[in-house]
Amino acid sequence: MTLTIWVDDWQTQCCGERFAPGDVVSWTLLEADPEEYVDIVGGERADEIDFREEHHGQEEGRTPTSVKVVSIAEVHCRYAVPEGATDKVNHPVPGTTELVPVQEADGWARRGRG
């Protein structure tokens, strides 16, 4: 069975370990809510995310799952304050998302174009 698992960069930066295709990793997996990712990757891609990896807080009582990494894609997108916003908080800019295949993930994505 092939799954799509979202791994936040900060989770790996904090206390995760680098991983590459072919590696077997032990992760605590939580069901992903597509609504959390739709602004970044769009609705269709968000629906494809099965789980998210979690290192902090919500893993109590959960047993880590061993999974073999098949492929890795970094998600790059631009952020900006939406037009008309009053809170001045950056949000993903629709239509700017790129999935970049990589051979290793260490939590530090390579800078994308623009």
Side-chain angles (χ1 to χ4, degrees):
M1 169 187 342
T2 301
L3 302 170
T4 299
I5 301 170
W6 184 274
V7 181
D8 287 310
D9 57 355
W10 67 269
Q11 296 263 11
T12 304
Q13 291 166 5
C14 172
C15 54
E17 295 181 17
R18 67 181 57 223
F19 56 94
D23 288 350
V24 175
V25 296
S26 182
W27 288 339
T28 300
L29 302 178
L30 302 177
E31 279 193 50
D33 177 358
E35 289 302 312
E36 292 183 24
Y37 306 98
V38 73
D39 287 346
I40 299 170
V41 296
E44 187 175 324
R45 283 249 189 233
D47 286 340
E48 296 172 357
I49 301 170
D50 300 299
F51 294 95
R52 62 185 179 87
E53 186 269 344
E54 177 61 55
H55 270 84
H56 304 91
Q58 297 177 322
E59 71 270 10
E60 288 123 21
R62 295 190 178 264
T63 304
T65 302
S66 291
V67 295
K68 183 176 183 175
V69 178
V70 175
S71 64
I72 305 167
E74 292 178 349
V75 178
H76 296 249
C77 69
R78 287 192 9 242
Y79 281 80
V81 176
E83 190 173 316
T86 58
D87 59 8
K88 304 299 181 202
V89 175
N90 285 325
H91 293 274
V93 176
T96 65
T97 299
E98 292 182 75
L99 272 64
V100 179
V102 296
Q103 290 304 307
E104 182 178 70
D106 62 3
W108 300 97
R110 308 316 164 252
R111 188 174 182 100
R113 291 181 281 150

